[in-house]
């Protein structure tokens, strides 16, 4: 029996039992669709990580609180381990172009202005913020040295905050807004509005406000330590040359180690470090989601094997007739394997289509989390899903086919 005849016979048998064939395919459709959709979500997450970390700026180093071992186990140091003196010391190092100290409060703080209210995160920072982050002003001006020295009650709004309160960025300049943040409840004067930027490595840039670091420290208790030192939550360093980032990282590490009495109560990270960590987490999550989705493919394969075994039992007499007129064991084996592979390939193709459609629909949706989902369907994931579905059809179709090929023609013809 030639391949063409085998395919024709297989298609005729599958068409004769449309409902059974459709239900058999359903497991593969669901499995392949789930694999495509979840892999797209994982790829989107990795792409989003790259975009967000790149959005922080270029050639940056991040200094933050670290961990140390004590008798009771690891203890995380708070932001009190870093001070403005540390930042000043870093400024003297070679290849350091700019340094900013900052506090960032990601909690939703209420902002009231122009008879409206909205919520925003708050960042207390320094004038070099725009240079370090590569983020420009859209209207008005940014915080300057005078704001720091005089501890002014000036504020710069993110684009979305300005839009929520004043509709247009220009309308916000010179207006007062009230910030409600625990003990920090103060009327602030808007001096600038940042350009629209969207989500970045530090969250949604457009939904934050920026105030002078000295103003924050003067009015919030944890802005200073018990000994009067000026605490900072994070120090961001911009390196003048991209090829000197790692060297500068080592220099900062050695400097702070000496300043902190050789206690490693800080961390120094590059953008690549942050990206690698985030990508590793995203990759692990993608593999986990893919494995979970793969279970449904295995279940679908088991369903194919069960249906093919039932088909062998129902077609025992047909198999006997074919053997009696000259069909070999290989012919019978090939016919049932081809039927199983056709079911899985067609189901896989439908599953790929369903998965791509689901990924497209999910792209940009936040599903009530407030953070839009990004999905990216990689071509290789489609080929992998189709290949796996074909292998599953072959694997789970071999046993029923082998069983059919071993039937004795005389015994098969006696079957009613």
């Amino acid at each position: 029996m030639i391949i063409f005849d085998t395919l024709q016979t297989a298609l005729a048998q599958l068409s004769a039992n449309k409902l059974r064939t459709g239900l058999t395919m359903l497991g593969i459709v669901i499995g392949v669709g789930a694999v495509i959709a979840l892999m797209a979500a994982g790829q989107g997450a990795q792409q989003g990580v790259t975009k967000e970390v790149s959005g922080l700026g270029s050639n940056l180093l991040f200094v933050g609180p670290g961990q140390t071992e004590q008798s009771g186990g690891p203890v995380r140091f708070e932001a009190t381990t870093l001070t403005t003196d540390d930042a000043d010391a870093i400024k003297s190092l070679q290849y350091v172009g700019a340094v900013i100290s900052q506090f960032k409060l990601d909690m939703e703080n209420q902002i009231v202005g122009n008879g409206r209210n909205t919520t925003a995160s708050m960042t207390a920072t320094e004038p070099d913020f725009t240079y370090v982050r590569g983020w420009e002003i859209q209207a008005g001006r940014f915080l300057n040295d005078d704001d720091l020295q005089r501890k002014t009650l000036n504020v710069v709004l993110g684009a979305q905050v300005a839009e929520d309160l004043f509709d247009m960025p220009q309308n916000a300049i010179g207006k007062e807004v009230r910030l409600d943040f625990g003990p920090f409840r103060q009327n602030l004067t808007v001096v600038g509005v940042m350009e629209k930027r969207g989500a970045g490595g530090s969250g949604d840039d457009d939904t934050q406000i920026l105030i002078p670091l000295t103003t924050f420290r003067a009015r919030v208790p944890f802005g200073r330590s018990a000994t009067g030192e000026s605490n900072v939550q994070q120090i961001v360093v911009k390196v003048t040359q991209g090829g000197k980032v790692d060297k500068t990282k080592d220099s900062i590490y050695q400097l702070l180690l000496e300043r902190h009495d050789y206690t490693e109560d800080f961390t120094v990270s590059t953008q690549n470090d942050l990206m690698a960590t985030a990508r590793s987490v995203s990759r692990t999550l993608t593999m986990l989601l893919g494995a979970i989705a793969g279970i449904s493919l295995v279940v679908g394969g088991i369903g194919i094997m069960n249906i093919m075994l039932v088909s062998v039992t129902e077609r025992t007499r047909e198999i006997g007739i074919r053997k009696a007129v000259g069909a070999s064991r290989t012919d019978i084996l090939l016919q049932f394997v081809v039927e199983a592979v056709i079911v899985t390939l067609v189901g896989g193709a439908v599953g790929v289509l369903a998965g791509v459609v689901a990924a497209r629909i999910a792209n940009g949706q936040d599903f009530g989390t407030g953070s839009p989902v990004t999905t990216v369907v990689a071509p290789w994931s489609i080929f992998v899903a189709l290949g796996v579905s074909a292998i599953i059809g072959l694997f789970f179709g071999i046993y029923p086919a082998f069983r059919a090929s071993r039937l004795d023609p005389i015994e098969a013809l006696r079957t009613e």
Side-chain angles (χ1 to χ4, degrees), residues 22-40:
L23 292 175
T24 305
M25 287 182 182
L26 187 60
I28 298 297
V29 170
I30 294 173
V32 171
V35 168
I36 292 293
L38 292 176
M39 293 295 285

Side-chain angles (χ1 to χ4, degrees), residues 217-285:
R217 287 202 305 258
R219 287 166 171 77
V220 178
F222 53 80
R224 299 185 73 86
S225 68
T227 58
E229 293 177 299
S230 300
N231 299 328
V232 294
Q233 183 188 51
Q234 185 184 54
I235 299 172
V236 185
V237 182
K238 186 172 183 66
V239 182
T240 55
Q241 300 178 32
K244 301 297 183 181
V245 170
D246 290 333
K247 183 176 181 179
T248 307
K249 175 185 175 181
D250 293 338
S251 299
I252 292 173
Y253 177 82
Q254 290 298 327
L255 173 68
L256 293 182
L257 201 61
E258 294 174 6
R259 289 183 54 82
H260 290 225
D261 297 325
Y262 294 93
T263 300
E264 194 174 347
D265 55 358
F266 59 88
T267 61
V268 184
S269 305
T270 67
Q271 287 173 288
N272 288 336
D273 294 335
L274 298 178
M275 199 177 298
T277 301
R279 279 180 173 176
S280 177
V281 173
S282 298
R283 194 177 298 115
T284 301
L285 181 60

Side-chain angles (χ1 to χ4, degrees), residues 312 329 332-333 336-337 397-407:
V312 169
R329 289 179 58 182
I332 302 298
L333 177 70
F336 280 88
V337 168
I398 283 178
Y399 175 69
F402 181 73
R403 183 173 173 179
S405 69
R406 289 181 61 85
L407 287 176

Side-chain angles (χ1 to χ4, degrees), residues 96-168:
V96 172
V99 178
I100 57 171
S101 304
Q102 61 185 29
F103 269 96
K104 182 171 176 59
L105 303 175
D106 292 320
M107 64 184 70
E108 293 186 346
N109 309 296
Q110 187 172 21
I111 312 295
V112 180
N114 195 32
R116 307 177 190 176
N117 69 82
T118 187
T119 57
S121 60
M122 180 174 66
T123 299
T125 188
E126 298 177 312
D128 282 337
F129 177 88
T130 53
Y131 168 64
V132 171
R133 290 287 310 277
W135 189 11
E136 299 299 328
I137 282 285
Q138 183 177 4
R141 66 171 178 84
F142 194 70
L143 306 171
N144 55 32
D145 291 332
D146 185 60
D147 290 315
L148 245 63
Q149 292 171 6
R150 295 174 50 219
K151 303 174 186 176
T152 63
L153 296 174
N154 290 335
V155 63
V156 176
L157 305 181
Q160 189 60 53
V161 178
E163 183 179 326
D164 291 343
L165 297 180
F166 300 99
D167 297 324
M168 300 290 291

